[in-house]
Amino acid sequence: MQSESEVRSLAPATQGIGNTIRFTGWIAFWLQLGLAVVSGIALLFAATGRGFTDQPNAGLGVGIFWAVCGVLLVLFNVYWDFRYTRIGKRLANPNAAVHPSKADTTKAIRLGIIVSLAGILLTLLGAGATLAVLVAKSISQPPGVAITDPYNIIRALDVFVMLGNVNAITAHFVGTVASLWLLEQVHKH
């Protein structure tokens, strides 16, 4: 059993890392939630708007699919950021019995990093497919004002897909940076 003096000397360091994890978790939570909402709304506009047009565009469907997969992973990361806040709260508790182990904390942070990197990959696939469609449409138009093929016009809905992908990439980047920083802080203690 630990003596009272050992608990007092251990408490400030553990409480400090607990507060750091909790504060970082809240920052990442709100940033990723905001970016997920913006990305989701942009993809919702793009997906619902596709039903109102007669212009088929299979390439954008692939971009929307990967973007939606990326946004789902952002939502998982938002949950995981909230979990960081709970881990931080447990570490800041003066009762050492409720503290998670360093190995468990590290394992949780590493899972956050892996999910963020997987999300970056998925949304990069979506952004690449969307960008390929946008480039193909832009170079297929002859110079001047005459539009020869209405299917090759870049529409606002096409840009919304790209907006959704870029916001999801940004959200995953925020999650990756936050998790890497937390991992570094945990290893210091």
Side-chain angles (χ1 to χ4, degrees):
M1 215 153 154
Q2 294 178 338
S3 69
E4 190 174 316
S5 63
E6 288 175 334
V7 169
R8 277 191 222 141
S9 67
L10 191 89
T14 307
Q15 285 180 336
I17 190 66
N19 289 334
T20 300
I21 291 173
R22 189 173 70 226
F23 184 66
T24 304
W26 280 122
I27 290 173
F29 174 86
W30 287 111
L31 285 173
Q32 285 189 303
L33 183 62
L35 289 165
V37 167
V38 170
S39 186
I41 290 171
L43 292 172
L44 186 64
F45 282 154
T48 57
R50 286 184 62 192
F52 295 125
T53 183
D54 295 333
Q55 301 173 359
N57 206 340
L60 283 179
V62 172
I64 291 173
F65 171 77
W66 288 118
V68 168
C69 291
V71 169
L72 291 175
L73 284 180
V74 170
L75 293 176
F76 177 81
N77 269 345
V78 168
Y79 160 73
W80 211 248
D81 292 334
F82 182 74
R83 187 158 181 230
Y84 288 161
T85 67
R86 301 301 90 196
I87 291 170
K89 187 175 183 178
R90 287 175 50 203
L91 283 170
N93 190 329
N95 182 4
V98 299
H99 293 177
S101 69
K102 185 175 183 177
D104 289 341
T105 304
T106 303
K107 189 176 175 182
I109 294 170
R110 284 190 178 143
L111 181 62
I113 294 169
I114 291 168
V115 171
S116 291
L117 290 175
I120 288 173
L121 175 65
L122 294 180
T123 51
L124 281 174
L125 290 172
T130 304
L131 186 60
V133 169
L134 293 175
V135 168
K137 283 184 170 188
S138 69
I139 62 174
S140 67
Q141 290 299 315
V145 294
I147 297 174
T148 56
D149 187 3
Y151 294 111
N152 290 330
I153 298 172
I154 296 177
R155 301 168 299 162
L157 295 176
D158 302 342
V159 179
F160 276 125
V161 177
M162 195 63 180
L163 177 68
N165 276 300
V166 169
N167 279 313
I169 290 169
T170 305
H172 286 298
F173 178 76
V174 167
T176 303
V177 168
S179 295
L180 285 171
W181 190 78
L182 284 177
L183 188 64
E184 180 66 26
Q185 296 305 307
V186 168
H187 281 299
K188 282 182 183 178
H189 286 63

